[in-house]
Amino acid sequence: MLRRGILKLVHLLALVVCVSAVGDFDWTRNEKTSFYYGTFPTGFLWGVGSSAYQTEGAWNKDGKGMSIWDVFAHKKGKISSNETGDSSCDGYYKFKDDISLMKEMKLNHYRFSISWPRILPSGLKSEHINEKGIKYYNDLIDLLLDNTITPVVTLYHWDLPQVLQEKYGGWQNESMVSYFNDFADLCFERFGNRVKHWITFNNPWSISVEGHETGEHAPGLKLRGTGAYKAAHHIIKAHAKVWHTYDMKWRSKQKGLIGISLTADWGEPVDMSNQRDIEAAERYIHFYLGWFATPLFHGDYPQVMKEYVGRKSGQQGLGASRLPVFSPQEKSYIRGTVDFLGLGHYTTRYVTEKNYPSGFGDSYFADRDLAELVDPQWPDPGSEWLYSVPWGFRRLLNFVKSQYGNPMIYVTENGVSEKMLCTDLCDDWRMQYFREYINEMLKAIKDGVNVKGYTAWSLLDSFEWDEGFSERFGLYFVDFTNKDKPRYPKASVQFYKRIISSNGFPNQREVESWKRKAVETCSSSNQLLAADPLIGHMEMVTEIVVPTVCTLCILLSAVFFMFLLRRRL
Ligand code: BGC
């Protein structure tokens, strides 16, 4: 009786702690303070990231099976300029060179992903293990460790074995949960003696929405209003299963950590004095980050998602919500299955309420009842979706702290692209982006957010999914037109190196000199690059031919116009 009473009390207390830990995010307090000079806590980890399909190439070499991205990219019209990741940066062959680049930068960690079909060509552990694939990752991990670089390994960065898509329907099918668990278990068995940081999924929002709702990404399904929710549901279960497998079978021996990498933009209310805008912004975040984080931290989907999707499904005459439901057993199984939260972040949106009538049709986007806006003043150097809004990063980090009980966070992705025809290694805007975003992260740490490490995205320019090679996120420029795929440092390499060696931003005088010094070094790399005959040719086209043709056109039009005028007079 007494034991029961105590248990109940403990339960109640836990609930109170949990509830009071949630929801104390102050929407109205957006301090856009000036640059903060200071350093990160001792032991803060600095790294860079990549993923298998984006960089490895060797898509059909040494027994690798096909992934959904191999197939998708080979279909005409799916990728900008019909490019593919067939050879990409040839990272499969050049990983030794790449590790030298990392060593040079004095990085603490390298985040990369394992290609599931490279080690399990048919996706199934029971069918065939490709030892050559295993050897590749063994060599990569060993060399990283020899160079005192910690491997941070993502198990799923979007490249599902094609066989699993064809046979079972991929993430639409619950059977993926156990197939993925078998694959993860194999990775723990073969690499877990050396790998201590595991990320189950990279950006499940993108897998769900872009892969199964809009179809811009592999497998290219357009199952509007249902496909994304179903995929996400199975991904959450798969993550939890892998966490439990590790916990029961490997944790005591290997002493590693299992996390997930969630990517989210920040959503800021357009009008802070309007409660409906605040609620719309909160919905935006819950449909983005909360969709995955709330089940994993608290055991179920965010209340607001259940309400909105449920209500809309009812209005559409459906008998049940399009958002799947977790059973009570599933809720307790998935709750608390993150040892650390990986956070990817790039940009921000303003958000306002917008009502989508029920006749509008099923869609994840319409379910949210909101509109996204951007400030035209925000710098927009590369990808059309990526505006540089550093203060949004601090807001997001504080939101995570308030909603999920201040978990341990590793920033697993943050960076900016450039979209330029002519090559310029003096990437001023990227240095600016890193300087400001990293500074906002520092402010968040001062606010009490538990951030342990930062991963710049990405080491190399690489295959940018549906955008092909047209967007370059790399600290290193890769010349994809040259079969050797040479890498050239952009100025931001030097800049990031300075942040790492100072563990932050020591003082104004020093920090201001960094950019200048970095630009000095990049001018010589620019010359190196220009000496490359192919690049030289590209530059000639973009820097000489295009302007000359344009000027000639303008001149000819002027002459023609004068001629017309004269005839009229
Ligand atoms: C993905 C990366 C990608 C980046 C920029 C992230 O969400 O995980 O693979 O390169 O977005 O588009």
Side-chain angles (χ1 to χ4, degrees), residues 239-272:
H239 164 87
K241 191 170 173 75
V242 167
W243 186 90
H244 282 286
T245 299
Y246 192 81
D247 204 46
M248 279 161 46
K249 200 169 158 189
W250 302 104
R251 193 186 291 279
S252 61
K253 281 178 258 171
Q254 301 189 344
K255 308 214 164 17
L257 299 171
I258 307 286
I260 187 166
S261 176
L262 304 181
T263 301
D265 297 348
W266 176 246
E268 184 75 0
V270 167
D271 176 2
M272 203 56 95

Side-chain angles (χ1 to χ4, degrees), residues 151-422:
V152 175
V153 179
T154 311
L155 291 167
Y156 190 85
H157 203 124
W158 307 355
D159 42 1
L160 184 78
Q162 174 66 13
V163 180
L164 297 183
Q165 187 67 42
E166 277 169 18
K167 263 198 184 163
Y168 306 98
W171 290 108
Q172 290 300 296
N173 190 314
E174 177 134 22
S175 60
M176 286 314 104
V177 176
S178 59
Y179 295 144
F180 179 67
N181 186 59
D182 292 345
F183 160 62
D185 189 51
L186 175 67
C187 292
F188 299 150
E189 180 191 326
R190 298 299 189 93
F191 312 122
N193 56 342
R194 289 152 295 153
V195 174
K196 305 297 165 194
H197 295 81
W198 295 99
I199 292 168
T200 52
F201 288 92
N202 173 70
N203 192 351
W205 180 90
S206 181
I207 305 169
S208 308
V209 174
E210 293 173 305
H212 300 84
E213 166 98 19
T214 65
E216 296 152 276
H217 282 188
L221 300 177
K222 294 179 182 160
L223 306 166
R224 294 194 199 273
T226 54
Y229 295 131
K230 214 180 208 184
H233 201 66
H234 296 144
I235 289 171
I236 293 165
K237 286 190 189 181
H239 164 87
K241 191 170 173 75
V242 167
W243 186 90
H244 282 286
T245 299
Y246 192 81
D247 204 46
M248 279 161 46
K249 200 169 158 189
W250 302 104
R251 193 186 291 279
S252 61
K253 281 178 258 171
Q254 301 189 344
K255 308 214 164 17
L257 299 171
I258 307 286
I260 187 166
S261 176
L262 304 181
T263 301
D265 297 348
W266 176 246
E268 184 75 0
V270 167
D271 176 2
M272 203 56 95
S273 63
N274 182 344
Q275 184 58 25
R276 292 159 82 119
D277 275 2
I278 295 184
E279 280 164 20
E282 195 162 0
R283 265 200 313 284
Y284 177 80
I285 311 280
H286 279 308
F287 268 81
Y288 215 139
L289 179 76
W291 184 5
F292 302 92
T294 314
L296 299 178
F297 284 101
H298 301 311
D300 201 358
Y301 291 118
Q303 189 56 29
V304 74
M305 275 190 91
K306 293 198 285 185
E307 268 167 36
Y308 272 67
V309 186
R311 185 165 40 80
K312 298 235 171 196
S313 306
Q315 287 164 355
Q316 286 150 357
L318 302 172
S321 175
R322 286 180 278 102
L323 185 70
V325 175
F326 291 116
S327 70
Q329 290 81 357
E330 286 170 342
K331 286 182 190 172
S332 55
Y333 187 73
I334 59 178
R335 183 186 303 128
T337 55
V338 263
D339 300 327
F340 67 90
L341 176 66
L343 197 63
H345 175 70
Y346 292 91
T347 193
T348 283
R349 293 286 180 269
Y350 276 119
V351 180
T352 188
E353 186 186 56
K354 177 178 173 183
N355 210 269
Y356 286 89
S358 58
F360 189 81
D362 299 357
S363 125
Y364 157 87
F365 293 100
D367 284 342
R368 305 175 306 169
D369 269 351
L370 57 86
E372 299 175 35
L373 306 162
V374 294
D375 181 341
Q377 309 267 312
W378 287 344
D380 173 22
S383 315
E384 61 175 326
W385 53 271
L386 209 172
Y387 295 83
S388 175
V389 193
W391 53 261
F393 194 18
R394 181 180 181 186
R395 300 276 277 160
L396 178 68
L397 288 166
N398 270 288
F399 183 86
V400 169
K401 171 179 172 243
S402 72
Q403 297 289 306
Y404 309 116
N406 204 11
M408 176 153 89
I409 298 176
Y410 284 94
V411 173
T412 37
E413 286 183 18
N414 177 242
V416 67
S417 56
E418 74 241 22
K419 196 184 268 167
M420 289 175 70
L421 280 174
C422 60

